Amino acid sequence: MSRVIGHVRDLRRFPVKSMGGEARDALELRWPGLLGDRQYAFHRLEERGRFPWLTARIVAPMVLFQPRYREPEDPRTSAVSVLTPEGEELDLHDPALLARLSAAAGQPIGLMQVGRGVFDTMPVSIGTTTGLGLVDALHGAALDPRRFRLNVLIDTEEPEEALKGRRLAFASGASLLVNEGIPRCAMVQVDPDTAARDPSVQKTVIHHFDNCVGLYAATAACGAIRVGDAVALLD
């Protein structure tokens, strides 16, 4: 049994971890996750802990850099261009970009390509208009959904709690197994347009949502997900 609970409003993938995302009309869901998502990551060469990645928690302006695949349908082999905040277009492997980020981080960094994607916990991040609307209401101001770095935004009236442990099916036959809420870090403080930090956003998430906004998910069946697709909740 299944019932339609809404539609896909927005799709995004992030070619480089912690940089800006690419809005897409369609994304290919494969077993490791969404094709091309978080395939590259900068990492701190002297960090030996469990989280070596350089992210906007350390260098907030990373969110202002906009990477794109030059061949968007073949991200595994495509070159990547990065538009800087000043409007200069650089190759992702340009030494000047590496030097700039190293200087901002105050430490040497490197660049890695990881075919299955560099994910903190699970490969797909889902949000709902209901969930984000509740965050806005309790925060007392509208927040840009890009703060939460979601892959799939679903327009639905269904509460997020009702989706946990369930499967979501899309028109192509692709489906996702929803797992748990996404624990949030200082990334949510960072404005995606200015990189300014607003600690009150994180306080709202901690105090009203037990520090979780959005839902983690993993692939249950491969296929395409498209903006406008009906989303069915499978019983």
Side-chain angles (χ1 to χ4, degrees), residues 141-227:
L143 296 172
D144 193 315
R146 291 178 296 160
R147 283 183 184 267
F148 300 99
R149 303 184 67 80
L150 302 167
N151 296 121
V152 184
L153 178 60
I154 300 170
D155 193 347
T156 181
E157 296 181 359
E158 200 78 15
E160 288 189 355
E161 280 293 322
L163 306 184
K164 291 182 179 179
R166 311 285 290 280
R167 280 195 300 146
L168 298 177
F170 303 87
S172 68
S175 66
L176 289 167
L177 175 61
V178 181
N179 191 272
E180 59 186 10
I182 302 174
R184 293 299 175 175
C185 65
M187 284 286 296
V188 299
Q189 297 182 19
V190 181
D191 186 298
D193 287 323
T194 66
R197 293 186 186 272
D198 182 356
S200 71
V201 177
Q202 192 172 16
K203 290 178 181 178
T204 295
V205 172
I206 291 170
H207 294 158
H208 295 289
F209 299 93
D210 197 25
N211 202 39
C212 288
V213 172
L215 298 161
Y216 274 135
T219 305
C222 299
I225 301 176
R226 298 179 177 84
V227 172

Side-chain angles (χ1 to χ4, degrees), residues 46-86:
E46 297 173 353
E47 175 58 52
R48 296 294 182 264
R50 296 172 62 186
F51 196 89
W53 315 116
L54 179 68
T55 74
R57 285 184 283 181
I58 300 168
V59 179
M62 283 185 73
V63 300
L64 304 180
F65 289 78
Q66 296 292 329
R68 65 174 182 86
Y69 292 108
R70 293 179 196 165
E71 298 177 43
E73 304 307 320
D74 187 18
R76 286 187 179 275
T77 60
S78 174
V80 179
S81 294
V82 179
L83 189 68
T84 71
E86 297 77 26

